Amino acid sequence: FGSSASARPAAFRYFAILVAMASPHGAAVDRSLVEKFLQSCIDSLKSDATRKMLKNCSSVRPGVKLVELQQGIWDDVGVSAEDGRRAVGMIERLYLDDQEALLALRNEFSNSMDMTYLQCLKDRRPKSLEKKAKMPKNTVLEFLDACNVKLDMPEIRERLSQRISETGSMPESLINEVHGEVMELLGFDRVHGQRCFEKLGSTQQYANDRELAMSFARWRGKTSNVCLMLLNDYRKGGGELHVDEEVGNKLVKVQAKEGLDAMSLEERTALLAKHAKKVNIFRGLPDDGRKRYLDRLGGQEKLEFTQPEILMVTLVQNHQQKKPQAADGQSE
């Protein structure tokens, strides 16, 4: 369970990618249709009919039925699900006028989705806990998804924040408690469930099963990100942290990303232009060379270096993702 070239040409090249990243794609969706979708979803999620439907479809994972519910509502409003999801995810950029109401609806939609999902798991909860049988793949996937949802619950965030304020460190023991609660919600004894997970990891099934591997990576990433965010909030509030070097370096990245989020596109471009050469040299070093370089930096120096490094990595990844799309377009 434990969670444990010169700078100037580079700037012009990366600026083009930054602009592309900032531009929305896909068909425009009228604001009224986005509002209708969100309100219709909220009403449906809160209905007794949906709760009964989810409980009775016990052979199908609840996430599948919830996706089908959304798909049906997009069909009803006459918008493709792909364009609709993009519109909902980009409300801040697509609907500049009177976006507060849409954002509030999106937040209520998200909360309703999570609550409906967890209520479904409670309604489906077996009467007795499994203590011997092997854990099926679908239960493993459900455990990973349910943990991610639980970590977004206000009461769980409050428990984690309280533990961090008491210790100033990663709240691993409390995370394990949450994992145990989810195991029992799914009908598995928490000790037996942990043994099943350990056995699954030792068989390399994660590496050989793409769906499991992706879900496991999301689970680890979610757990780490939530804990790091709460640790950073505690630090910003004046709290003293007691973390190891690995967690400390991750917190530097959290702080760096916060700084980047507060920058305009022009500011990020100028930052990358200033440091592109240095970052490229750093990225060419072996792992031990990178570590030695970072170890020589002070806290503020490390933060200032990490920001352009994050930009470089993000832009290179974005550029690589565009290559297959360009090749597909040329082949048509």
Side-chain angles (χ1 to χ4, degrees):
F1 286 94
S3 49
S4 332
S6 70
R8 184 171 177 80
F12 284 107
R13 183 166 65 252
Y14 295 129
F15 181 80
I17 302 175
L18 278 167
V19 171
M21 291 173 65
S23 302
H25 302 285
V29 179
D30 188 83
R31 182 193 184 284
S32 64
L33 297 179
V34 174
E35 182 177 14
K36 183 177 181 179
F37 166 79
L38 292 172
Q39 189 61 63
S40 296
C41 278
I42 293 167
D43 293 342
S44 180
L45 291 168
K46 293 181 177 180
S47 71
D48 290 338
T50 294
R51 180 176 177 180
K52 182 177 180 180
M53 177 273 292
L54 291 170
K55 180 180 180 180
N56 293 338
C57 297
S58 58
S59 62
V60 182
R61 294 184 61 203
V64 174
K65 303 305 293 185
L66 291 172
V67 169
E68 290 178 358
L69 182 149
Q70 295 177 58
Q71 178 71 61
I73 294 176
W74 282 125
D75 290 343
D76 290 343
V77 300
V79 175
S80 75
E82 182 180 1
D83 290 337
R85 285 193 297 267
R86 184 183 299 109
V88 170
M90 300 175 68
I91 287 174
E92 296 89 340
R93 292 164 59 184
L94 297 180
Y95 309 101
L96 301 180
D97 297 328
D98 189 28
Q99 64 178 221
E100 289 80 8
L102 276 186
L103 291 173
L105 269 181
R106 186 177 68 182
N107 186 56
E108 185 179 358
F109 160 73
S110 178
N111 291 336
S112 298
M113 190 68 67
D114 289 348
M115 296 303 295
T116 299
Y117 171 77
L118 291 175
Q119 183 62 57
C120 174
L121 296 185
K122 292 177 184 177
D123 290 342
R124 294 182 180 186
R125 181 173 181 166
K127 294 182 179 179
S128 60
L129 297 179
E130 180 58 63
K131 298 182 179 181
K132 295 181 179 180
K134 177 182 177 181
M135 187 179 294
K137 174 182 173 179
N138 273 355
T139 302
V140 175
L141 293 171
E142 209 66 76
F143 168 80
L144 299 173
D145 285 352
C147 285
N148 291 343
V149 173
K150 288 277 282 187
L151 285 175
D152 283 332
M153 294 291 101
E155 60 270 24
I156 299 299
R157 295 287 180 99
E158 180 59 33
R159 287 168 61 186
L160 291 170
S161 294
Q162 180 62 35
R163 184 63 60 88
I164 289 172
S165 70
E166 295 168 356
T167 65
S169 60
M170 288 288 280
E172 294 186 6
S173 61
L174 182 51
I175 287 292
N176 289 338
E177 288 179 24
V178 174
H179 292 168
E181 293 166 7
V182 173
M183 276 293 180
E184 294 186 352
L185 182 61
L186 297 176
F188 269 73
D189 173 79
R190 62 179 67 196
V191 175
H192 176 61
Q194 182 175 0
R195 287 197 296 264
C196 290
F197 246 66
E198 292 170 350
K199 185 175 181 180
L200 182 64
S202 67
T203 62
Q204 293 298 305
Q205 187 173 349
Y206 284 124
N208 300 327
D209 188 312
R210 179 175 174 80
E211 185 179 20
L212 274 176
M214 292 178 65
S215 293
F216 185 71
R218 284 194 299 270
W219 173 68
R220 292 191 63 182
K222 177 76 172 187
T223 303
S224 176
N225 290 339
V226 168
C227 291
L228 290 172
M229 180 194 71
L230 295 176
L231 282 168
N232 190 48
D233 288 345
Y234 178 64
R235 177 197 63 81
K236 290 191 295 185
E240 182 180 354
L241 296 179
H242 305 283
V243 297
D244 58 26
E245 182 180 7
E246 180 182 3
V247 174
N249 288 335
K250 290 179 179 179
L251 282 168
V252 170
K253 289 188 175 182
V254 172
Q255 297 171 51
K257 290 177 180 178
E258 281 189 337
L260 290 172
D261 288 342
M263 294 181 188
S264 66
L265 177 63
E266 291 75 17
E267 288 172 328
R268 292 196 298 269
T269 303
L271 179 68
L272 189 55
K274 181 178 179 180
H275 297 283
K277 185 175 181 179
K278 183 189 295 186
V279 172
N280 273 323
I281 294 173
F282 174 80
R283 286 169 54 79
L285 295 174
D287 290 343
D288 58 342
R290 295 187 187 190
K291 185 178 185 305
R292 286 196 301 271
Y293 178 80
L294 292 175
D295 288 344
R296 291 198 299 267
L297 299 179
Q300 186 61 31
E301 290 177 313
K302 188 178 293 186
L303 176 62
E304 292 173 355
F305 178 79
T306 301
Q307 287 182 330
E309 185 197 6
I310 290 173
L311 278 179
M312 180 75 77
V313 172
T314 302
L315 298 179
V316 169
Q317 290 175 345
N318 184 266
H319 184 62
Q320 291 172 341
Q321 291 171 0
K322 288 179 179 295
K323 283 183 178 180
Q325 297 175 8
D328 290 343
Q330 292 173 0
S331 64
E332 291 178 357

